């Protein structure tokens, strides 16, 4: 079983800059267009700042833009189910795969034995 506290301990402490992450989430972490997920543009950041009358330093605005771009690129990279998760060990990956196979195997066995599907 994967311990969520153990996984949380693998991430860096961002508390001193937590306010930047909160601002990023208020703006919207990334853009989801018909062409996929993209990082925020300067226009979106500027519009948010103008609308909320929030003052951001150049460093804060650049950090928000970089975090958004990193998030968008990670969505693309890790959207593939075969990609190795950046925060799980090999053993945890194997346990998850084993659990998924077990669940899928159970579904297949039920279907082979004529289980009813509630699609009426």
């Amino acid at each position: 079983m994967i311990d969520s506290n153990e996984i949380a301990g693998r991430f860096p402490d961002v508390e001193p800059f937590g306010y930047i992450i909160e601002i990023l989430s208020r703006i919207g972490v990334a853009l989801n267009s018909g062409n996929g997920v993209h990082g925020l543009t300067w226009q979106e950041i500027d519009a948010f700042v103008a609308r909320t009358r929030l003052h951001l330093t150049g460093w804060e605005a650049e950090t928000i833009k970089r975090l958004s771009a990193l998030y968008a690129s990670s969505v693309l990279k890790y959207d593939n189910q075969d990609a190795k998760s950046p925060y799980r060990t090999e053993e945890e990956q194997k346990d998850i795969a084993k659990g998924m196979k077990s669940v899928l195997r159970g579904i297949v066995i039920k279907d082979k034995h004529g289980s009813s599907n509630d699609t009426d």
Side-chain angles (χ1 to χ4, degrees):
M1 184 63 132
I2 299 171
D3 180 14
S4 61
N5 290 328
E6 181 184 332
I7 290 175
R10 297 177 194 167
F11 291 96
D13 179 23
V14 295
E15 188 54 40
F17 304 103
Y19 74 97
I20 291 177
I21 294 170
E22 170 154 348
I23 293 169
L24 174 63
S25 68
R26 286 176 56 201
I27 297 172
V29 181
L31 302 172
N32 191 356
S33 69
N35 296 328
V37 178
H38 303 281
L40 295 172
T41 66
W42 286 116
Q43 290 82 4
E44 277 97 24
I45 295 170
D46 288 344
F48 177 83
V49 168
R51 175 65 63 185
T52 61
R53 298 178 188 208
L54 181 69
H55 174 75
L56 294 178
T57 65
W59 178 86
E60 290 167 330
E62 285 181 26
T63 300
I64 287 170
K65 186 158 183 0
R66 286 182 182 176
L67 286 171
S68 177
L70 179 62
Y71 176 86
S73 68
S74 294
V75 166
L76 295 173
K77 181 177 180 180
Y78 296 108
D79 190 37
N80 176 351
Q81 62 184 351
D82 295 332
K84 184 177 182 275
S85 175
Y87 58 87
R88 291 201 172 105
T89 65
E90 283 294 322
E91 185 177 320
E92 290 169 342
Q93 289 286 96
K94 288 178 184 176
D95 287 345
I96 290 170
K98 187 176 169 183
M100 293 294 288
K101 286 178 185 176
S102 176
V103 168
L104 293 173
R105 195 174 299 118
I107 292 170
V108 169
I109 290 171
K110 284 181 184 177
D111 284 348
K112 282 184 179 179
H113 294 293
S115 69
S116 64
N117 292 328
D118 294 332
T119 57
D120 297 339

